[in-house]
Amino acid sequence: MLMRTDPFRELDRLAQQFTGVTGTRSRPSAMPMDAYREGEEYVIVFDLPGVAEDALDIDVERNMLTVKAERHPVGRAESVHMELSERPFGAFSRQLVLADTLDTERITADYEAGVLTLRIPIAERAKPRKITIGGQSERKQINS
């Protein structure tokens, strides 16, 4: 039901981990995610620790879901000398192609404790249904 749009994103993530370079608006870093089906909906979970809720941008156009976030470095006084800085900051983005069988009109989003959870219901047209065969005699039903 979901498809990654950039197969080299994982290589970019590894390169960023080794070089320490964080994302920019023109070349954002990837954000880790999980995607799974739960009953009649797909759930997509993104880890965004330290990102303020107002720094999130979620957009869907046709079947392309785009999630963008930005984390700013902690403001420091001039007297502070940073000894270690491992927490990534900058721009983060992820794009997913959603299947036509998902209802993009009813996506819901929750953000709690640095975790963004999107729930996308399966469209009614994609659910199994009974089809009745018409006629003068006895009607039969089959699964589609």
Side-chain angles (χ1 to χ4, degrees):
M1 290 290 194
L2 301 173
M3 182 176 79
R4 290 184 186 213
T5 58
D6 185 358
F8 299 103
R9 184 71 88 160
E10 187 65 17
L11 292 174
D12 287 343
R13 186 190 66 77
L14 290 171
Q16 289 168 358
Q17 185 177 4
F18 288 116
T19 63
V21 176
T22 57
T24 63
R25 288 188 181 177
S26 63
R27 185 102 173 117
S29 297
M31 58 184 80
M33 65 168 254
D34 290 332
Y36 55 91
R37 183 172 175 169
E38 184 177 71
E40 296 296 319
E41 62 187 6
Y42 268 86
V43 181
I44 306 172
V45 181
F46 298 92
D47 281 347
L48 296 164
V51 174
E53 187 172 337
D54 61 352
L56 291 172
D57 182 33
I58 307 165
D59 185 33
V60 65
E61 184 175 340
R62 296 187 190 218
N63 64 339
M64 178 67 73
L65 173 71
T66 304
V67 178
K68 296 179 184 175
E70 193 162 348
R71 182 175 355 176
H72 301 284
V74 177
R76 300 180 190 102
E78 288 185 28
S79 62
V80 173
H81 176 71
M82 194 62 141
E83 294 293 330
L84 180 64
S85 179
E86 293 181 345
R87 297 173 60 216
F89 60 89
F92 300 88
S93 179
R94 197 75 184 248
Q95 284 190 314
L96 300 168
V97 177
L98 302 177
D100 291 334
T101 57
L102 298 177
D103 187 351
T104 59
E105 298 292 322
R106 297 184 14 224
I107 296 175
T108 60
D110 293 307
Y111 188 62
E112 185 178 338
V115 177
L116 173 65
T117 304
L118 301 177
R119 294 184 175 278
I120 310 169
I122 295 173
E124 289 298 321
R125 68 182 177 276
K127 294 179 182 175
R129 63 190 183 284
K130 297 277 188 191
I131 297 174
T132 303
I133 299 173
Q136 298 296 334
S137 60
E138 177 181 323
R139 294 183 167 216
K140 299 178 183 177
Q141 288 190 351
I142 60 172
N143 287 325
S144 63

